[in-house]
Amino acid sequence: MYDVVLLVEQELSEPDAKRVVELHQDMPEPVRYHVLVPCHNAEAGVEASISALGTADLYGPGLAGQREDLAEAQKAIDTEAKGCTGRSVQRLRDLGRNAEGGISHDRPIDALVATVQHVQGREVIILTRPHIVAEFFHLDWTTSARRHLGVPVLHLLEHDSKPANAGAEPRT
């Protein structure tokens, strides 16, 4: 089995799923895809934002009272990430491929390294939107993955799943 780990920033679109599958259409052995979706930690994000603003001493104690709201927000974030993962996996399966997936609350590269090691991945594909500044300074997922992994890492830019005129007002 040739295991490929996909780290995706957002739901795998149908064109992206087809593009990924086409990369492996001539493989002599069966391919299994492992879709990994990083999931934001709401509480950590709020705490980091407050700390970065230098206002932790003003809002820190008040944060304890917000735990229920943060738990609800995290539940919604997790539900969306699981749905994204499920739909991405299903798109690969609809193309006749073996696929599974999951979400992670760890740092994306840490989760990627752990997944590659766990499934003995032989290739990594990272699908993201363009991140010009991060790529320029080599802080992007792909550069980081190449530093941490001993397998081929391919970076693909996600196709925009919305038509060019989506959300535009109809002309009259």
Side-chain angles (χ1 to χ4, degrees):
M1 184 67 66
Y2 188 85
D3 290 283
V4 178
V5 179
L6 299 170
L7 177 61
V8 298
E9 190 172 32
Q10 61 190 23
E11 183 175 322
L12 196 60
S13 68
E14 190 173 322
D16 287 333
K18 287 179 182 175
R19 187 166 52 152
V20 167
V21 167
E22 286 171 359
L23 291 171
H24 304 101
Q25 67 187 6
D26 296 328
M27 291 294 293
E29 58 187 306
V31 177
R32 179 176 36 223
Y33 296 101
H34 305 270
V35 179
L36 178 61
V37 177
C39 190
H40 181 71
N41 182 324
E43 185 173 332
V46 170
E47 288 178 356
S49 297
I50 289 172
S51 294
L53 294 173
T55 57
D57 54 335
L58 297 174
Y59 296 105
L63 197 57
Q66 303 296 319
R67 298 280 187 233
E68 281 186 39
D69 292 339
L70 289 172
E72 282 298 313
Q74 188 65 56
K75 185 177 177 181
I77 291 168
D78 288 354
T79 299
E80 176 58 31
K82 288 175 184 174
C84 168
T85 304
R87 291 184 297 273
S88 297
V89 166
Q90 191 57 50
R91 284 200 174 93
L92 293 167
R93 288 178 179 168
D94 288 347
L95 295 169
R97 300 302 173 165
N98 184 346
E100 58 185 42
I103 67 170
S104 175
H105 295 98
D106 296 335
R107 288 183 41 229
I109 295 305
D110 293 342
L112 177 64
V113 169
T115 302
V116 168
Q117 290 172 349
H118 177 72
V119 303
Q120 297 179 340
R122 297 180 40 202
E123 179 180 332
V124 169
I125 298 175
I126 298 175
L127 283 100
T128 66
R129 297 180 304 268
H131 296 283
I132 305 302
V133 174
E135 291 170 12
F136 179 78
F137 289 107
H138 304 287
L139 301 171
D140 58 304
W141 289 351
T142 306
T143 301
S144 188
R146 287 181 179 140
R147 280 194 300 261
H148 290 89
L149 295 169
V151 299
V153 177
L154 174 65
H155 180 215
L156 299 176
L157 294 178
E158 297 171 333
H159 280 95
D160 189 2
S161 59
K162 297 177 185 173
N165 62 355
E169 294 289 324
R171 295 184 186 194
T172 54

